[in-house]
Amino acid sequence: MTFIISGFEERTITVSSSDEPINIACQTAGSGPALLLLHGFPQTKAIWHRVAPELAKCFSVVVADLRGYGASSKPAGQADHSTYSKRAMAADQHALMQSLGHSQFFLLGHDRGGRVAHRLAADFPKSVERLMVLDISPTLTMYEKTSMAFAKGYWHWFFLIQPYPVPETLIGANPEYWLKNHMGRHGGTQIFDPQCWAEYLKGASDPESMHAMCEDYRAAATIDLVHDRADRLMDKKLSMPLRVIWGSHGLVNQCFSPLEDWRAVAEDVSGTTCDCGHYIPEELPEMLIEEVKQFFVSRS
């Protein structure tokens, strides 16, 4: 059973792709400028349930499940991991917004959704008017600057990229243990709404979904780096305003310099840290709502 955000309408849009037609599950509400919200790993669009209803008072809000997550399609990964490249996943979301009648839109992504959002803004710059990312530095930067502290804290980055079916099999032996271990960081699992937690656990327990999530990470360590390096070699930077917010208790804050990191790939960067861990939409929803309004509404 999909978690329905209060006041939102559930929809499924089929988009074309180089792999096969992809069903993207989404929920929509509100009026005003379009705003697409993209979730991270190992979650779903349900992460936005504490912020989306308030944002729908100012925006035409679209919350979507990424390819491989939630109720969206979960195709098997190809040998080169291109099925779950951020380029492919970004194209899905761009096609979704076009299908919903939004030729231009604001974009907010958390965690993996932020990486998809980065690629979407890079590949479709005329469509993305402003971009906000939560608790990440660029993928290529994070791999290039990997330290012992980062490898220990984000060990899943290096576990999930192991060849199929190693991580899928090990997680599948006890999905709930895996999920509690992975998500019980600074705030503990009590920060998650029980209905959301049930949806996250359902995804971790589904072999197709878990395979897709592993492929997301495998792509990040292979084909995504090829795409990112190509942009760097061409000195191709994001031109739209970008804002980054990260948790003061998270590993991104400990191991990276988000403002400096994003300024290497974007021309107009601002940002701030906040008093929480990694899961900003669920830990500090009120703060995030105000940040979104300031960044998108005040300047739209």
Side-chain angles (χ1 to χ4, degrees):
M1 187 98 181
T2 300
F3 181 93
I4 306 296
I5 297 174
S6 177
F8 277 65
E9 176 188 0
E10 187 176 23
R11 308 180 65 173
T12 300
I13 304 293
T14 302
V15 301
S16 60
S17 81
S18 58
D19 298 289
E20 58 187 58
I22 301 293
N23 294 325
I24 298 296
C26 65
Q27 294 176 25
T28 60
S31 59
L35 171 63
L36 174 61
L37 308 180
L38 299 178
H39 65 87
F41 167 88
Q43 299 173 281
T44 69
K45 58 186 176 298
I47 71 165
W48 305 108
H49 73 102
R50 290 176 177 150
V51 301
E54 183 65 26
L55 294 179
K57 297 177 182 178
C58 306
F59 303 96
S60 295
V61 177
V62 179
V63 296
D65 284 332
L66 298 171
R67 173 193 298 214
Y69 291 78
S72 290
S73 294
K74 302 168 181 63
Q78 295 185 23
D80 65 354
H81 312 300
S82 60
T83 301
Y84 289 92
S85 70
K86 303 309 158 292
R87 175 156 283 160
M89 296 170 82
D92 292 342
Q93 300 300 325
H94 182 260
L96 167 71
M97 294 302 280
Q98 304 306 299
S99 296
L100 293 173
H102 304 307
S103 59
Q104 292 184 306
F105 50 91
F106 298 134
L107 182 56
L108 167 57
H110 171 252
D111 188 79
R112 310 308 291 179
R115 303 187 191 287
V116 174
H118 178 196
R119 177 47 57 191
L120 202 166
D123 287 357
F124 303 96
K126 293 183 179 179
S127 292
V128 179
E129 296 182 289
R130 285 178 171 264
L131 170 64
M132 180 181 288
V133 295
L134 304 181
D135 210 55
I136 62 169
S137 281
T139 305
L140 177 57
T141 302
M142 291 178 72
Y143 272 120
E144 288 182 337
K145 295 184 178 180
T146 292
S147 63
M148 179 65 77
F150 176 65
K152 287 173 66 177
Y154 268 30
W155 63 272
H156 66 285
W157 271 45
F158 308 96
F159 168 62
L160 296 173
I161 67 175
Q162 298 306 308
Y164 171 82
V166 174
E168 289 94 334
T169 301
L170 295 175
I171 293 171
N174 195 332
E176 187 170 13
Y177 176 82
W178 155 258
L179 203 64
K180 287 180 177 178
N181 177 274
H182 176 73
M183 298 182 73
R185 298 178 184 177
H186 170 71
T189 58
Q190 67 271 12
I191 66 174
F192 305 111
D193 181 281
Q195 293 183 72
C196 293
W197 181 260
E199 185 161 297
Y200 305 155
L201 179 57
K202 179 181 177 182
S205 304
D206 173 31
E208 288 186 350
S209 182
M210 200 63 242
H211 170 64
M213 289 189 271
C214 290
E215 284 295 303
D216 176 2
Y217 279 82
R218 290 174 182 131
T222 54
I223 192 168
D224 290 345
L225 299 183
V226 173
H227 297 155
D228 290 349
R229 287 191 179 105
D231 285 351
R232 301 262 184 117
L233 286 172
M234 293 186 293
D235 197 28
K236 180 182 176 182
K237 290 189 174 184
L238 301 180
S239 59
M240 71 288 295
L242 183 154
R243 187 158 180 82
V244 54
I245 302 171
W246 65 100
S248 61
H249 302 288
L251 209 65
V252 169
N253 185 58
Q254 178 185 340
C255 297
F256 301 97
S257 302
L259 288 175
E260 178 184 333
D261 296 343
W262 282 106
R263 284 171 180 152
V265 300
E267 296 173 352
D268 182 359
V269 179
S270 64
T272 186
T273 189
C274 56
D275 186 21
C276 68
H278 178 63
Y279 301 102
I280 297 171
E282 292 168 293
E283 293 184 61
L284 284 181
E286 295 83 4
M287 180 282 301
L288 182 57
I289 289 167
E290 289 308 309
E291 279 285 343
V292 169
K293 289 180 178 179
Q294 284 294 317
F295 183 64
F296 294 120
V297 176
S298 300
R299 298 166 174 81
S300 62

